[in-house]
């Protein structure tokens, strides 16, 4: 009698390992729309640049006259949410660092998701219908705001949320001016072509710590040194209303903000409806809905 052996599903992007392995070349495209029959807000040069460098800056994504009310809106959300609401992440000193799922709490932010300057770009880059995988407001207060260490978002979303493929894109829109000196986001251009497996198994309830300071799912210093030697570092700066679109696998991070000038951004992650979440690839439990949507995954309609 022979024993049937079930084939083990191959994970193209293994991470959270007990030993280091070499970087892995990305298998799927960065730009998913059909380039021949393509119509959308991004021209061929924009698409080429996004493909090559993994990001694109679009100034004036929220108009100057419409961006002002967002400050008041954030204050309203911060005041309305209970101090122990899981959607609010605080700095060790108590200041609010992030508010998750603001698009479900604020019609102003829900309107941005559906706006002409945002939704068609996400659809074009991902080649079809999309939904919000994660959204947050990141607040980096003056003097005390702390940064995010280098990471690829896809590494976390694959390992902890079961996102199968690199078919998601983030849109970070400045709500206050993003200067080179107030903790603005740095990216390693071109790093999205490579998956960098990380060492160290995911601890239980990792998200309770990782959203303040991420320790697991970050490349080692030697890997980062080589990536920066090869590609350099670019930075996203711009007036309030400017948007940074970046591929889900682009390495990025930010320093702290010791200036008096706060840096607030709204951060929207679009995922293709053909890339909905499954079981985590490298974690015991999936994360809560406000970090990784499994229920609210209907295509966004305008
Ligand atoms: O956990 C998340 O979904 C996001 N936050 C952090 C700190 N790293 C991965 C990803 O960007
Ligand atoms: Fe990130």
């Amino acid at each position: 009698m022979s024993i049937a052996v079930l084939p083990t599903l191959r994970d193209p992007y293994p991470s959270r390992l007990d030993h280091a392995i070499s970087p892995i070349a990305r298998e799927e495209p960065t730009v998913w729309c059909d380039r021949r029959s393509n119509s959308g807000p991004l021209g061929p040069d924009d698409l080429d640049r996004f493909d090559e460098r993994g990001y694109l800056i679009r100034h004036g994504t929220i108009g100057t006259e419409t961006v002002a009310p967002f400050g008041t809106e954030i204050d309203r959300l911060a005041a309305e949410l209970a101090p122990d609401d899981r959607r609010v992440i605080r700095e060790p000193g108590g200041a609010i660092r992030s508010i998750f799922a603001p698009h479900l709490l604020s019609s102003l932010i829900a309107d941005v998701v559906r706006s002409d300057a945002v939704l068609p770009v996400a659809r074009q880059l991902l080649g079809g219908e999309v939904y919000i995988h994660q959204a947050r407001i990141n607040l980096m207060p003056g003097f005390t705001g702390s940064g995010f260490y280098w990471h690829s978002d896809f590494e976390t979303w694959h390992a902890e949320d079961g996102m199968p493929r690199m078919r998601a894109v983030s849109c970070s829109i400045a709500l206050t001016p993003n200067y080179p000196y107030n903790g603005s986001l740095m990216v390693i251009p071109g790093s999205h072509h490579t998956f960098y497996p990380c060492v160290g198994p995911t601890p239980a309830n990792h998200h309770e710590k990782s959203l303040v300071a991420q320790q697991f799912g970050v490349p080692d210093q030697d890997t980062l040194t080589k990536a920066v030697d090869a590609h350099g570092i670019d930075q996203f700066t711009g007036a309030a209303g400017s948007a940074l679109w970046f591929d889900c696998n682009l390495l990025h991070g930010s320093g702290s903000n010791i200036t008096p000038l706060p840096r607030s951004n709204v951060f929207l992650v679009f995922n293709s409806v053909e890339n909905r979440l499954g079981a985590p690839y490298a974690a015991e439990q999936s994360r809560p809905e406000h970090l990784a949507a499994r229920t609210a995954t209907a295509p966004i309609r305008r």
Side-chain angles (χ1 to χ4, degrees):
M1 193 179 80
S2 64
I3 299 171
V5 178
L6 287 172
T8 316
L9 286 180
R10 185 184 76 95
D11 179 0
Y13 301 120
S15 195
R16 316 287 171 110
L17 306 165
D18 60 8
H19 63 285
I21 62 168
S22 301
I24 296 168
R26 178 186 185 123
E27 294 182 354
E28 53 269 44
T30 306
V31 172
W32 287 78
C33 60
D34 181 350
R35 299 287 285 266
R36 287 156 309 176
S37 60
N38 181 51
S39 65
L42 304 181
D45 291 349
D46 288 335
L47 295 173
D48 285 346
R49 200 165 168 78
F50 187 82
D51 194 1
E52 182 196 320
R53 298 183 79 73
Y55 76 92
L56 209 54
I57 295 172
R58 312 245 308 149
H59 295 293
T61 290
I62 301 180
T64 330
E65 66 294 347
T66 17
V67 80
F70 281 85
T72 335
E73 186 75 341
I74 297 173
D75 293 344
R76 180 185 72 80
L77 291 178
E80 271 179 25
L81 290 164
D84 60 350
D85 192 299
R86 294 201 306 164
R87 291 168 293 187
V88 180
I89 308 293
R90 291 175 188 277
E91 299 282 0
I96 294 185
R97 177 176 172 87
S98 306
I99 301 172
F100 278 87
H103 61 306
L104 305 178
L105 300 166
S106 156
S107 59
L108 208 56
I109 294 173
D111 288 347
V112 172
V113 172
R114 288 177 171 77
S115 66
D116 286 345
V118 173
L119 184 58
V121 176
R123 282 193 178 142
Q124 192 179 10
L125 290 170
L126 300 180
E129 301 275 29
V130 297
Y131 69 94
I132 292 286
H133 163 66
Q134 183 192 89
R136 67 215 270 184
I137 294 164
N138 279 337
L139 299 160
M140 212 193 243
F143 299 113
T144 58
S146 61
F148 281 106
Y149 191 68
W150 295 105
H151 63 278
S152 144
D153 293 332
F154 176 77
E155 192 280 340
T156 293
W157 299 337
H158 185 69
E160 298 192 30
D161 299 333
M163 181 182 283
R165 288 285 168 182
M166 297 174 185
R167 197 172 177 178
V169 64
S170 297
C171 176
S172 177
I173 307 174
L175 299 179
T176 62
N178 282 214
Y179 299 111
Y181 40 76
N182 66 343
S184 293
L185 204 75
M186 297 177 283
V187 304
I188 303 183
S191 59
H192 63 301
H193 294 302
T194 305
F195 182 76
Y196 297 95
C198 300
V199 174
T202 311
N205 296 318
H206 182 222
H207 61 273
E208 286 172 6
K209 294 210 173 95
S210 68
L211 301 172
V212 183
Q214 189 175 351
Q215 282 182 332
F216 295 87
V218 293
D220 61 41
Q221 292 185 357
D222 185 47
T223 303
L224 289 166
T225 304
K226 287 185 178 131
V228 171
D229 278 350
H231 302 293
I233 295 175
D234 288 352
Q235 190 176 40
F236 169 48
T237 56
S242 302
L244 168 73
W245 289 88
F246 64 105
D247 177 79
C248 60
N249 190 45
L250 190 71
L251 289 175
H252 61 283
S254 53
S256 58
N257 181 13
I258 60 167
T259 76
L261 310 166
R263 184 185 72 94
S264 306
N265 286 44
V266 57
F267 182 79
L268 309 169
V269 184
F270 294 90
N271 191 26
S272 163
V273 294
E274 287 167 56
N275 196 36
R276 289 190 174 97
L277 308 184
Y281 287 80
E284 290 296 319
Q285 281 187 320
S286 46
R287 302 196 299 175
E289 177 81 12
H290 67 277
L291 301 181
R294 290 173 184 277
T295 305
T297 66
I300 303 170
R301 306 268 181 226
R302 300 169 74 197

